[in-house]
Amino acid sequence: MLRWTDLSQIPQGYGPSVVTLGNFDGVHKGHRAVLSTVVQRARISGARAVAVTFEPHPVAVLHPERAPQIITSPDQRLELLSATGLDAVLVMEFTRDFAQWTPERFVVEVFVKALGASVVVVGEDTRFGVRNSGDVDTLRQLGAQHGFEVLTLADVGNGGRWSSSRVRALVTAGDVAGAAEILGHRHRVSGEVVHGDHRGRELGYPTANLCRQSAGLIPADGVYAGRLIRPTLPEGDLDRALPAAISIGTNPTFAGTDRRVEAYVLDRTDLDLYGETVIVEFVQRLRATEKFDTIEDLLLQIADDVGRCRRVMSSFVV
């Protein structure tokens, strides 16, 4: 999949293309319904399948006090977009100057001149251009003028519209299994493994601590069953994806103040992961964070957590 960050990077005469646009945070099943249509239409007509997206999120630029927490990092989003079969993604830098583009300028500069769009696929609530003044009717009028078809798709979802905001709410509440139902994949956080207090190793459960600058929306405090994935190892390596008990929180039993994501790889004390960038994948929340009166009580609970995690992961399907 080609990745462009500026219109000047798109080859002259690129197209015809079938295009869609959006933020695609999380690349959930609603997004993928649109993207699947884009790819199918492109394959039928011999065109290129292209998604146009923005970085940073427009709300973070125009109304930073209302900016949503981002579900997936830019790299994670591109990886998920690539898996849909797209031929190219244009990631446009969203600035205050760009926010002043009229709907017509956006369509002409991006869809017509740069991408040679023959079809534009959008949701019924799509808005674009300065102050979101462009909508589907605007797009149809511009399509008639510039020679491209506009295909609109209705919202999809079970028990409500599949949306990034729903995923965000579920993840922040700790319902990672519910979030996965909408995402169509399990939620992930990635980051470099750094040194912590080494308390887990002292207790017999060494953990990989992610750095504070980890990428991806961190779920609610608690204990989770999941996997620690080492993307630098080749596919098929037995140590690439490992079942893990994951803890998120401030470690209240020891009066901790820093919120951490740490993962104990089940039954492994031989791994040296310091300095390695890993992915923590969440399968199911086991319990909320608790403060224990004694180390003995904590150890009993950890043993129970590990046992529950082992049972959950024994029936895990990739």
Side-chain angles (χ1 to χ4, degrees):
M1 184 184 77
L2 298 173
R3 303 176 183 186
W4 304 306
T5 56
D6 190 85
L7 293 176
S8 64
Q9 297 172 346
I10 302 173
Q12 289 286 336
Y14 190 86
S17 63
V18 180
V19 185
T20 188
L21 79 158
N23 291 308
F24 303 115
D25 188 19
V27 194
H28 56 66
K29 290 196 286 190
H31 293 142
R32 279 187 279 164
V34 174
L35 295 165
S36 176
T37 300
V38 169
V39 172
Q40 290 172 7
R41 287 293 299 262
R43 299 294 176 265
I44 290 171
S45 61
R48 274 77 174 269
V50 182
V52 178
T53 188
F54 310 101
E55 180 62 31
H57 195 289
V59 178
V61 174
L62 299 176
H63 305 285
E65 73 283 356
R66 304 207 309 260
Q69 293 179 286
I70 300 303
I71 299 166
T72 49
S73 70
D75 287 344
Q76 290 171 332
R77 178 177 54 168
L78 285 171
E79 182 181 345
L80 291 166
L81 288 171
S82 178
T84 66
L86 289 168
D87 296 302
V89 171
L90 170 61
V91 183
M92 301 194 72
E93 182 183 7
F94 195 93
T95 64
R96 287 190 173 274
D97 287 341
F98 177 70
Q100 298 305 308
W101 282 24
T102 65
E104 182 172 13
R105 181 182 178 187
F106 177 81
V107 166
V108 171
E109 295 287 343
V110 180
F111 292 165
V112 179
K113 290 183 179 179
L115 296 174
S118 56
V119 181
V120 175
V121 182
V122 293
E124 293 176 334
D125 61 350
T126 293
R127 305 299 295 243
F128 63 102
V130 59
R131 294 185 295 277
N132 280 334
S133 55
D135 58 14
V136 170
D137 288 337
T138 310
L139 198 55
R140 287 200 179 98
Q141 293 168 13
L142 292 168
Q145 293 175 30
H146 297 284
F148 60 82
E149 175 189 354
V150 176
L151 176 62
T152 59
L153 300 180
D155 290 340
V156 292
N158 295 327
R161 175 176 176 262
W162 286 327
S163 68
S164 299
S165 59
R166 279 186 68 193
V167 173
R168 205 170 285 120
L170 288 168
V171 172
T172 55
D175 187 359
V176 293
E181 288 295 318
I182 299 175
L183 287 169
H185 54 85
R186 293 175 182 87
H187 181 60
R188 293 178 168 187
V189 172
S190 64
E192 181 182 342
V193 177
V194 297
H195 288 276
D197 299 322
H198 301 281
R199 194 169 283 119
R201 183 170 297 279
E202 294 171 1
L203 296 174
Y205 299 94
T207 59
N209 293 266
L210 267 59
C211 65
R212 292 184 182 181
Q213 296 76 32
S214 56
L217 180 59
I218 296 176
D221 289 0
V223 177
Y224 297 80
R227 296 195 299 172
L228 184 143
I229 300 170
R230 306 172 69 186
T232 57
L233 296 184
E235 294 284 353
D237 190 304
L238 294 179
D239 277 350
R240 177 181 168 88
L242 302 164
I246 305 155
S247 174
I248 299 174
T250 60
N251 209 342
T253 299
F254 297 96
T257 56
D258 293 334
R259 190 167 187 248
R260 298 175 178 177
V261 178
E262 48 188 321
Y264 163 64
V265 175
L266 300 188
D267 307 315
R268 295 290 295 271
T269 60
D270 59 321
L271 297 172
D272 183 1
L273 302 174
Y274 294 117
E276 187 174 333
T277 296
V278 301
I279 296 168
V280 173
E281 181 181 75
F282 300 90
V283 173
Q284 181 180 314
R285 191 183 196 208
L286 301 179
R287 64 174 177 86
T289 297
E290 298 178 49
K291 180 179 180 179
F292 296 92
D293 294 329
T294 67
I295 301 300
E296 290 73 19
D297 289 343
L298 172 63
L299 286 170
L300 286 172
Q301 184 60 62
I302 292 175
D304 183 67
D305 293 337
V306 168
R308 291 180 63 195
C309 180
R310 187 177 286 108
R311 290 191 291 275
V312 169
M313 298 309 294
S314 67
S315 58
F316 174 80
V317 177
V318 178

